Amino acid sequence: MRPYRDPLVLGPLFRDEEDTTPTPTVTPRPAAPAAVPRPAPRPGARSLPPVLDSEVSERPARACSGWWAVFLVLLCAAGAAVLVCHQDLRPTLTPTPAEAWPPAALAGCALLALAAVAGLRRGRAGHAWTLTLFGRYRGTVRRTGLLWSSPFPRRTRVDVRLRHWRSEPLCVADAEGTHLRPVVLVVWRVRDTARALLCVEDHAAYLREQVESSVARVFARLPADSFRLPGEGEARTLRDTEALGDELTRVLAAETRAVGIEVFSARPLHIEYAPEVAAAMQRRQVAAIDARHRDAVLTSVLDAVDDTVRRISDRGLVSMDDYERKALVKDLTVAFYTARGTAADAR
């Protein structure tokens, strides 16, 4: 009688007993590949629009030269003429096989000629044909000249030339909340005809709305003008049209890339204050200019007074104590400042 063994124990019960039970081989499971960590987004970075499915992207459609279709039409016409001239096409009640094939051949020639003529199109430079069949995208034809494609898909012409659009005065606000009326010029074109037609209802209207949105975001980052005095440092403003245009182009191109629109440039033509704040901002600008002018005049007057007093003291023309020196400086400052102000007003 053999000793009892626990079925979960895989070895002999006693050390001196030989185990005859085969040990099952366990194949180690391959370790799962380590997940590649995604880079953390930069602080303040804005995510771009999601890229659409690859099925909704432009691909070339099948098309050939239209002269082949013209040649086929001429060939069918010649064959039909031969049949009409050399065969009796009058119908009979009980036609024989020899009498039935000429009308069938004539009908086949007519169908071939009709299909060849129906598929003829004229491809123009700067335009493309987008083909859809039962709502499914079949491809885009960008060939020019006389061409032939299948007559069954629906054709939609798309303008792929370089185009520009000038906006109306837009209602935006700068970083200080001042209302502005900028006018923007956008240079763009349709790069992917499939996305431009199938992803949005009207790609031109989509572009206009994205221009308004991008202008509002970019203009809200900086003030329109800086009214700082000399010595306070220069501040970035919306008057730097080169940097402003580059940033606006980058933001607008990222927003329209998902619908197949390529933006080459978006530049502000001119930036004006809104009518309700134009007068107040003009007074503020004039005050800032006047303050800069007075600061410059005062600096030049003080330099002139200092130079005059130093020359009088060095040459020993008069001997002055501190009280007399202060009185002389005061009188010279008033005289020089009055003269400079009168000369500036006369100019």
Side-chain angles (χ1 to χ4, degrees):
M1 181 176 181
R2 302 186 61 180
Y4 170 76
R5 290 188 180 184
D6 191 345
L8 298 179
V9 179
L10 297 179
L13 184 61
F14 301 101
R15 183 173 301 178
D16 56 351
E17 181 181 4
E18 183 179 359
D19 185 19
T20 59
T21 305
T23 304
T25 59
V26 180
T27 305
R29 182 177 299 178
V36 179
R38 296 184 178 180
R42 295 178 299 176
R46 185 176 181 275
S47 59
L48 298 179
V51 179
L52 301 179
D53 193 358
S54 59
E55 295 183 359
V56 191
S57 59
E58 181 178 332
R59 61 178 182 270
R62 295 181 179 180
C64 63
S65 176
W67 296 108
W68 292 104
V70 174
F71 176 74
L72 181 60
V73 170
L74 296 178
L75 188 63
C76 291
V82 170
L83 289 175
V84 170
C85 294
H86 296 82
Q87 297 292 336
D88 186 9
L89 302 178
R90 290 177 297 178
T92 58
L93 296 178
T94 57
T96 60
E99 295 176 347
W101 75 266
L106 186 62
C109 290
L111 291 177
L112 286 177
L114 182 62
V117 172
L120 281 177
R121 288 292 183 276
R122 183 186 61 164
R124 297 175 54 187
H127 294 79
W129 292 98
T130 301
L131 310 182
T132 55
L133 181 62
F134 300 113
R136 184 177 181 182
Y137 174 66
R138 306 300 298 175
T140 300
V141 179
R142 287 181 176 263
R143 299 184 56 170
T144 58
L146 189 63
L147 56 94
W148 184 91
S149 62
S150 176
F152 299 105
R154 179 184 177 184
R155 296 173 175 84
T156 305
R157 177 175 289 181
V158 184
D159 190 351
V160 294
R161 295 175 295 182
L162 195 65
R163 302 160 67 180
H164 68 278
W165 176 71
R166 176 180 176 140
S167 69
E168 297 294 332
L170 306 175
C171 300
V172 298
D174 65 352
E176 298 178 352
T178 305
H179 295 279
L180 304 174
R181 294 292 186 271
V183 176
V184 182
L185 179 66
V186 182
V187 181
W188 63 284
R189 72 169 181 177
V190 175
R191 183 178 182 87
D192 194 310
T193 57
R195 294 185 179 182
L197 288 182
L198 304 179
C199 295
V200 289
E201 184 176 359
D202 187 354
H203 59 275
Y206 177 85
L207 174 66
R208 291 192 292 268
E209 294 174 358
Q210 289 300 327
V211 167
E212 296 180 6
S213 174
S214 301
V215 168
R217 293 203 306 270
V218 173
F219 277 59
R221 300 174 184 176
L222 297 174
D225 286 300
S226 177
F227 302 101
R228 296 186 179 183
L229 296 175
E232 296 183 358
E234 295 294 333
R236 292 183 57 192
T237 64
L238 298 178
R239 300 302 177 184
D240 188 1
T241 56
E242 189 69 24
L244 181 63
D246 294 341
E247 181 66 17
L248 186 58
T249 302
R250 186 189 65 81
V251 173
L252 185 59
E255 292 294 337
T256 57
R257 188 183 303 120
V259 295
I261 295 178
E262 183 179 7
V263 176
F264 289 90
S265 68
R267 304 289 176 181
L269 296 181
H270 58 83
I271 304 173
E272 297 179 352
Y273 289 106
E276 59 270 14
V277 298
M281 298 307 296
Q282 186 177 7
R283 289 193 299 269
R284 185 178 178 184
Q285 189 173 10
V286 170
I289 295 174
D290 185 59
R292 294 191 186 97
H293 174 70
R294 284 188 281 106
D295 184 79
V297 170
L298 183 59
T299 302
S300 63
V301 166
L302 292 178
D303 292 339
V305 170
D306 180 65
D307 184 63
T308 303
V309 174
R310 184 183 298 109
R311 288 185 179 183
I312 293 175
S313 301
D314 293 342
R315 294 183 182 182
L317 298 179
V318 292
S319 59
M320 297 178 293
D321 54 7
D322 293 341
Y323 179 78
E324 293 175 345
R325 186 185 299 274
K326 292 180 181 179
L328 178 61
V329 170
K330 179 179 179 181
D331 295 339
L332 290 176
T333 302
V334 173
F336 287 168
Y337 192 84
T338 304
R340 295 290 178 86
T342 304
D345 293 340
R347 289 198 299 269

